[in-house]
Amino acid sequence: MKKYQNILFDFDGTLFDTSKGVFKSFDKVVECYKLDVPDKSVYNTMIGPPLRESFSRVFKLPEDKLVEAMDVYRKCYAASGMFEVQVYDGVIPLIERLRQAGKTVCIATSKPEVYTKKILERQGMLDLFDFVAGSDLEEARRVNKVDVIRYVLAEMGLEDKKDECVLVGDTHFDAAGAKAAGIDCIGILYGFGTRQELEAYGATYIEENLHDVQKLLEL
């Protein structure tokens, strides 16, 4: 098994359960556009991918309404939903263990970078990471997971060290993004994705919990 020196983490569903604030903001969009969403469990599939994609795929909003709908979501999310999060058990000890072992620890998320940093700062966790990468608010660049991963690799000087890098994430967007970027992926099963999707999109490993991830990384 490879020795990973550089560990990249997804954010939603991997480090934090962000569903409460995110779902409340989805509700705001549904209310604003009077959308018919009979089964709100579909919201689980909307955490991870870019908002533009989710609003088009799930909410069936037309192209000319997507930017406006994103603004509706962002206003609700920034006002209160952003901080309605819960860090998963074992996240902080694992990251501290990684840092103690001399690993480079980064975040690669499709969540806007500005929100990601604000949440980490509120939680007192910003200093735990060597680099935090996310999308821009307009989702005009670094939106897809592969683009965010490539940005981390470039900024951290890791483009020639891909065999030492791994992404930890919970959905097929993570598995597919890591594969496209040329790095391995550890899929975890406590977030918003499923074993079936992680397998289908080529996750290198699939683990039940962070304790298993720790053992995999041989810490």
Side-chain angles (χ1 to χ4, degrees):
M1 187 170 60
K2 294 181 183 178
K3 286 281 190 177
Y4 297 112
Q5 177 60 30
N6 312 293
I7 320 299
L8 285 63
F9 285 94
D10 172 50
F11 192 85
D12 299 75
T14 300
L15 298 179
F16 286 89
D17 180 355
T18 56
S19 59
K20 185 176 181 179
V22 170
F23 289 1
K24 182 170 73 174
S25 303
F26 286 157
D27 281 340
K28 195 69 174 179
V29 176
V30 169
E31 177 188 342
C32 179
Y33 292 95
K34 297 179 172 56
L35 303 176
D36 181 23
V37 183
D39 183 5
K40 291 187 178 180
S41 66
V42 74
Y43 285 179
N44 286 310
T45 71
M46 298 171 67
I47 295 185
L51 282 180
R52 181 185 294 272
E53 177 182 331
S54 289
F55 287 178
S56 175
R57 173 176 53 87
V58 178
F59 288 165
K60 308 299 182 185
L61 287 169
E63 182 68 29
D64 62 354
K65 293 292 184 182
L66 292 178
V67 172
E68 180 184 76
M70 287 165 58
D71 187 54
V72 171
Y73 173 93
R74 301 280 192 220
K75 285 180 179 177
C76 179
Y77 188 71
S80 60
M82 172 167 51
F83 298 117
E84 296 182 44
V85 301
Q86 179 66 50
V87 63
Y88 287 113
D89 290 341
V91 163
I92 294 177
L94 172 59
I95 295 170
E96 290 176 340
R97 189 80 177 263
L98 289 169
R99 298 298 298 270
Q100 290 167 3
K103 309 291 186 181
T104 297
V105 185
C106 303
I107 287 178
T109 176
S110 293
K111 180 186 289 295
E113 192 172 297
V114 61
Y115 291 160
T116 304
K117 289 180 176 179
K118 284 181 178 179
I119 294 169
L120 289 170
E121 189 171 30
R122 174 72 68 90
Q123 295 287 325
M125 294 172 59
L126 187 58
D127 291 342
L128 289 177
F129 299 93
D130 294 287
F131 190 70
V132 177
S135 72
D136 58 304
L137 284 173
E138 295 76 23
E139 295 192 354
R141 57 188 171 85
R142 294 201 313 270
V143 178
N144 295 319
K145 186 53 66 82
V146 61
D147 298 321
V148 179
I149 294 170
R150 285 171 177 161
Y151 176 59
V152 174
L153 298 180
E155 290 295 311
M156 297 301 292
L158 301 173
E159 293 170 306
D160 295 327
K161 299 179 180 179
K162 292 182 180 180
D163 60 332
E164 299 176 4
C165 300
V166 65
L167 173 73
V168 182
D170 65 312
T171 71
H172 70 273
F173 296 99
D174 300 304
K179 188 172 184 178
I183 69 172
D184 287 350
C185 175
I186 301 174
I188 50 89
L189 297 177
Y190 57 79
F192 301 110
T194 65
R195 178 180 294 275
Q196 289 76 17
E197 69 178 87
L198 289 167
E199 288 177 346
Y201 283 81
T204 315
Y205 308 97
I206 299 176
E207 303 294 345
E208 292 283 346
N209 52 55
L210 288 175
H211 179 66
D212 293 337
V213 172
Q214 181 174 307
K215 290 193 294 183
L216 178 63
L217 295 174
E218 297 185 354
L219 295 176

